[in-house]
Amino acid sequence: MALSFDVLRSRDFRLLLCIRTFGMMALQSQAVIVGWQVYSITRDPFMLGLTGLTEAIPAIICAFFAGHVVDNGRPHRIYLICMAVLVLNSLMLFIMAGGLLGNHDHQNILPWIYGGVFISGLARSFIMPASFSLLPQIVVREKISAAAAWLNSGFQIAAISGPAIAGLIYGGYGVQVAWILPVSFMSMAFMALASISGKPRSYRSREQREAAIQSIKAGWVFIWHNRVLLSVMALDMFAVLFGGAVAMLPAFADQVLHVGSQGLGALRAAPALGSIVTALILALWPLKRIRATMLLCAVTGFGCCMIGFGLSQLFWLSMLFLALGGMFDSISVVMRATIMQLLTPDSMRGRVSAVNSMFIISSNEIGAFESGAAASLLGLVPSVVFGGLCTLVVAISTATLVPKLRRVVVEADKPA
């Protein structure tokens, strides 16, 4: 099978890849800085989880409306506005949370941090459906699988470099210098997005606007009747909701592994290190036939890795389990993104992606809150092990209760 470099010949796709990479480097480095700064101030795992809830609330509330706006507007324009908001937001965090004005009172810094996280969630609720709708205008159907893998590779590069650089700079030069990273990376992403060519910039899925309530209802009806999409979204949501341990990494770095902020950056990068290997393989040899059983196996593997991470007290072993978990997660991400792109018509892309973003945000940000609450109730290590066990239960239950999903096969090179 020939290696799939063809999609990289498109200038607009290369720009989209840069946007994905630089934008996620900004958000990933911001997450490390926020996590370590909040934990340094409060020493409370629950407050770490609260940062996830703060980002999830506006993202979930706005998701319904965001999909409608994207499907009735120009995805590129909406994307550009949201990226501009994130640039200004990261600049605000640099000034206020970085103590640029000489304000080092922790009680005054925390509200600014949580406010910045809230704004980030608000902007990201529109970014996800906008970017999802923009991709098919740049990449043809038969290259969607390869494009999804390349974009996931860019995400994983960001997930490796963003946290690692942020952790090193935070530990070596302090919080004020570290906050420069999100501002710089987000600005580069914004400039790349502004450089996309005219055709994708002017694209809109329909010429006449549809009433908001009618539009949102139509989106939910479409997803509800497409049980494959619904099952894939729900499987990922519940698996990561219970099994994700990323929000607790600052506490693990401090209490269990004793490696400080530099070690935290490495721990944050470990899942991406495993993910990028898998994502590059799937980008070079893209999936032509996707079986849902592979997705169920990937979720099961992810749950086992989280159990291993929770039980480990050795830094290198914890890194290994996180990296293996990242490999399984990468398979899940690429397959889910490809299935969604291939099964969603152009006129529904914004709304389907918006609903999917609700599932993703529920699994990641609310999952972070769940992890913090569980750690407060059960203890740090038991909460992570329990979450991994719950992920295994989710995979087994889905395979048992939705037998149709086990028979699903999606062909990437066949017409929609």
Side-chain angles (χ1 to χ4, degrees):
M1 186 183 296
L3 299 182
S4 184
F5 286 102
D6 287 350
V7 70
L8 295 178
R9 295 176 183 173
S10 167
R11 173 184 176 274
D12 283 338
F13 180 73
R14 293 196 302 272
L15 286 171
L16 201 61
L17 185 57
C18 289
I19 297 161
R20 172 82 161 176
T21 304
F22 288 131
M24 290 312 303
M25 284 181 73
L27 293 173
Q28 291 288 318
S29 59
Q30 177 177 302
V32 168
I33 298 166
V34 165
W36 193 255
Q37 196 170 12
V38 168
Y39 186 72
S40 298
I41 293 171
T42 65
R43 315 298 294 182
D44 186 354
F46 180 79
M47 295 301 290
L48 284 176
L50 191 59
T51 60
L53 185 63
T54 303
E55 187 167 13
I57 289 173
I60 291 176
I61 291 175
C62 292
F64 293 103
F65 184 66
H68 162 74
V69 170
V70 170
D71 279 339
N72 287 273
R74 289 186 168 85
H76 178 271
R77 181 181 297 174
I78 296 165
Y79 200 168
L80 195 65
I81 293 171
C82 291
M83 291 298 289
V85 170
L86 289 178
V87 171
L88 295 175
N89 186 53
S90 59
L91 183 61
M92 179 272 292
L93 285 168
F94 168 52
I95 294 171
M96 304 307 298
L100 202 64
L101 299 180
N103 178 18
H104 299 287
D105 186 344
H106 292 166
Q107 297 302 319
N108 291 333
I109 289 175
L110 276 177
W112 287 103
I113 292 176
Y114 283 106
V117 170
F118 183 90
I119 294 172
S120 179
L122 191 64
R124 289 177 67 186
S125 68
F126 288 85
I127 283 178
M128 292 186 70
S131 61
F132 185 81
S133 299
L134 201 59
L135 178 61
Q137 310 312 314
I138 295 173
V139 177
V140 295
R141 176 184 170 86
E142 56 268 25
K143 296 179 181 178
I144 286 291
S145 179
W150 280 114
L151 289 173
N152 189 45
S153 298
F155 172 86
Q156 302 305 338
I157 289 172
I160 291 173
S161 54
I165 295 171
L168 289 172
I169 291 181
Y170 194 123
Y173 300 97
V175 64
Q176 190 173 100
V177 177
W179 273 115
I180 296 175
L181 292 176
V183 179
S184 302
F185 290 141
M186 196 61 74
S187 298
M188 287 187 280
F190 175 80
M191 288 186 287
L193 182 58
S195 302
I196 283 182
S197 63
K199 185 177 179 181
R201 292 171 68 95
S202 60
Y203 166 76
R204 60 191 307 163
S205 60
R206 59 167 60 92
E207 293 303 321
Q208 293 183 345
R209 293 184 63 85
E210 186 178 3
I213 295 178
Q214 180 182 350
S215 173
I216 293 169
K217 180 181 178 181
W220 273 105
V221 168
F222 173 80
I223 293 171
W224 182 254
H225 286 93
N226 193 319
R227 294 305 174 89
V228 174
L229 283 178
L230 186 62
S231 298
V232 167
M233 291 179 190
L235 174 64
D236 178 75
M237 181 188 76
F238 287 110
V240 180
L241 175 66
F242 295 115
V246 173
M248 294 300 102
L249 289 183
F252 261 87
D254 179 58
Q255 297 179 23
V256 179
L257 302 174
H258 312 292
V259 291
S261 63
Q262 292 91 336
L264 171 62
L267 289 171
R268 285 292 299 241
L273 190 61
S275 292
I276 194 171
V277 173
T278 306
L280 285 173
I281 291 172
L282 295 176
L284 296 174
W285 290 277
L287 297 170
K288 299 297 183 183
R289 175 176 292 179
I290 299 175
R291 298 182 183 276
T293 50
M294 295 169 60
L295 188 60
L296 291 167
C297 291
V299 171
T300 301
F302 177 77
C304 291
C305 289
M306 292 304 100
I307 294 172
F309 169 74
L311 295 174
S312 171
Q313 294 186 346
L314 299 174
F315 180 65
W316 68 267
L317 188 58
S318 298
M319 291 277 289
L320 177 62
F321 278 121
L322 288 173
L324 290 173
M327 294 180 71
F328 286 115
D329 185 56
S330 183
I331 296 171
S332 175
V333 167
V334 172
M335 292 183 64
R336 188 177 68 252
T338 305
I339 289 172
M340 286 183 57
Q341 286 285 359
L342 296 179
L343 297 184
T344 306
D346 285 348
S347 62
M348 285 283 179
R349 291 190 183 279
R351 282 163 287 180
V352 169
S353 180
V355 172
N356 184 53
S357 73
M358 292 176 61
F359 282 80
I360 292 175
I361 290 163
S362 295
S363 63
N364 292 333
E365 277 69 31
I366 293 184
F369 177 72
E370 180 274 333
S371 297
S376 298
L377 294 173
L378 303 177
L380 190 58
V381 171
S383 68
V384 174
V385 174
F386 176 74
L389 290 172
C390 287
T391 298
L392 297 184
V393 171
V394 167
I396 294 170
S397 300
T398 303
T400 304
L401 298 176
V402 192
K404 180 180 178 181
L405 185 63
R406 301 199 303 268
R407 300 189 295 270
V408 169
V409 178
V410 178
E411 304 282 354
D413 53 358
K414 289 186 177 180

